[in-house]
Amino acid sequence: MKHALVTGGSGVIGGAIAIRLARSGLHVLVHAGRRSDQADNIVQQIRAAGGSAESITFDVTDYTAVSAALMPRVNDAPIQVLVNNAGVHDDAPMAGMSQAQWHRVIDVSLHGFFNVTQPLLLPMMATRWGRIVNTVSVSALVGNRGQTNYAAAKAGVMGATRTLAVEVASRGITVNAVAPGIIASEMTATSFTAERIREMVPMKRAGLPEEVAALVAFLASDDASYISGQVIGVNGAMI
């Protein structure tokens, strides 16, 4: 059984991804930064459905902590499917954005991508099979007021996705990014009215977390073995 890690697996999209990957027959490490109870809840759902999963908690901004949490597991069974889904928002127009807001978002979304991915690469490469899927955002593709920090972080991950795909292509590893648009969640419900969503999204609705998860599961499968270095939107034709 192949092992998968979903960072930010305690969230709405991350939880849906973890559940879908478990349905595909993977043993899933469901990551939480702080909300370990929510990661545990996802694990319980997976096990209740007959899947295999466990929760894991670490701070993606701390390279040493990441390595300490992951390397003992990698020694037993390399992680061959990695979904870098951890990310945070801290929105403000740039003229009023603090350094703390800028660095917090960059640290989680961009530095976190490096901190988790880099120590897992050599063990994954040794198996000559791997899938890395990075969750980015439509905000990195089009302007969105108040999100210069988030857009910069996700655009950085998009560039890293394309370059890393070239570096590991000969080892049977694919690297892709998924760029969700407006996805249904409690945060979306408080940020966008139904009327506003109909104005912004040609499909006239928010996407579902399960629709993002379905694409991630495909990219993590053998069927996607010749797809790499791509950024694929899940946004209802917003772009």
Side-chain angles (χ1 to χ4, degrees), residues 164-181:
L164 182 58
V166 174
E167 294 178 354
V168 299
S170 65
R171 301 301 183 96
I173 298 171
T174 65
V175 188
N176 292 288
V178 171

Side-chain angles (χ1 to χ4, degrees), residues 20-102:
R20 183 60 183 261
L21 291 179
R23 264 174 44 196
S24 300
L26 299 171
H27 175 77
V28 183
L29 298 178
V30 182
H31 163 264
R34 294 187 302 273
R35 300 176 299 181
S36 59
D37 58 326
Q38 295 187 28
D40 290 338
N41 180 56
I42 298 297
V43 169
Q44 290 171 8
Q45 291 182 54
I46 290 171
R47 290 177 177 173
S52 178
E54 62 184 292
S55 62
I56 184 170
T57 304
F58 56 81
D59 179 359
V60 299
T61 70
D62 185 336
Y63 182 89
T64 301
V66 172
S67 296
L70 291 179
M71 296 319 292
R73 288 172 168 81
V74 169
N75 291 334
D76 294 331
I79 291 168
Q80 291 180 280
V81 174
L82 169 61
V83 182
N84 286 300
N85 177 71
V88 295
H89 290 270
D90 199 345
D91 297 352
M94 193 169 189
M97 183 178 291
S98 67
Q99 282 189 329
Q101 286 176 294
W102 177 268

Side-chain angles (χ1 to χ4, degrees), residues 4 17 63 80 105 110 116 121 139 148 153 161 168 179 192 205 207 212-213:
I17 292 169
Y63 182 89
Q80 291 180 280
V105 173
L110 183 56
V116 175
L121 282 175
S139 297
T148 52
T161 294
V168 299
F192 300 97
R205 67 174 178 87
V212 179

Side-chain angles (χ1 to χ4, degrees), residues 181-195:
I182 299 173
I183 304 300
S185 67
E186 290 184 10
M187 183 177 69
T188 299
T190 60
S191 300
F192 300 97
T193 64
E195 181 181 358

Side-chain angles (χ1 to χ4, degrees), residues 144 182 192 195-202 235-238:
N144 191 25
I182 299 173
F192 300 97
E195 181 181 358
R196 181 59 177 151
I197 290 173
R198 286 192 295 270
E199 291 172 353
M200 295 175 66
V201 183
N235 55 48
M238 287 179 68

